[in-house]
Amino acid sequence: MASGIAVHDDVVLTFDKIRVRLQGADKQEQLKLVLFKISDDGKCIIVDEEKCLKVKDLNGEEDVFRKIVNMMPTDDCRYALYDCSWESKDSPKEDLVFIMWAPEHSTIKKKMKYASSKQYIKAKFQGLKFEWQVNDMSDAKDSSAFIDKLGGRGVVKKLEGKEV
């Protein structure tokens, strides 16, 4: 580990929780969004316990995309896993999306730390198909940039049950 960043065991356990659907488990209790951050001492990537959403937290939410964006800090970096439900013209899909959040109001030092540590957390998340990197709020003002990452409007017909 050249950067000196370790990935805490809880990060891997949380990845398994969001990825694996246990038979008989309550769907409302499934994780929908988990944020990860670099610890205050700068040595480890940890789960940001206060910034997790379960399926039940999104019940009745008009704009799931906006709710997810609003969970992100405006002046600090984060990694996130988002369990995205979407539909193509062929079929419904569920995919984990890795998010690298590095907003314009974060310090250059933090952006560099997160960018150089991204490979370590991604190595723990095997099988991810999609990655979305946000560097300024124009990337997150609406769902269009995110939909492009999933294949664009020609492929994506619904996002979280809503027509796009």
Side-chain angles (χ1 to χ4, degrees), residues 6 19-20 23 35 41 45 59 69 102 104 111 116 137 142:
R19 182 176 57 95
V20 176
Q23 188 171 351
L35 272 61
D41 65 8
I45 299 170
N59 286 343
V69 168
E104 61 229 328
K111 289 180 190 180
S116 66
M137 290 312 287
D142 61 38

Side-chain angles (χ1 to χ4, degrees), residues 9-19 31 34 36 47:
D9 291 342
D10 283 351
V11 170
V12 177
L13 293 172
T14 302
F15 172 66
D16 287 341
K17 269 194 223 174
I18 199 170
R19 182 176 57 95
L31 289 169
V34 179
F36 306 93
V47 177

Side-chain angles (χ1 to χ4, degrees), residues 89-144:
K89 62 181 183 205
D90 301 324
S91 63
K93 303 184 183 299
E94 285 193 28
D95 286 299
L96 286 179
V97 178
F98 178 79
I99 301 170
M100 170 69 183
W101 184 265
E104 61 229 328
H105 298 298
S106 183
T107 66
I108 295 292
K109 184 177 179 181
K110 282 205 174 185
K111 289 180 190 180
M112 290 176 62
K113 183 84 163 174
Y114 273 78
S116 66
S117 304
K118 180 172 85 167
Q119 65 187 350
Y120 300 110
I121 191 169
K122 279 191 71 180
K124 301 291 184 178
F125 299 158
Q126 298 298 311
L128 295 178
K129 289 188 211 169
F130 301 105
E131 178 177 338
W132 181 42
Q133 183 154 339
V134 178
N135 296 318
D136 65 58
M137 290 312 287
S138 68
D139 294 335
K141 70 179 180 333
D142 61 38
S143 60
S144 58

Side-chain angles (χ1 to χ4, degrees), residues 145-157:
F146 180 73
I147 288 169
D148 287 346
K149 293 296 178 188
L150 297 175
R153 292 194 186 276
V155 173
V156 180
K157 301 301 176 198

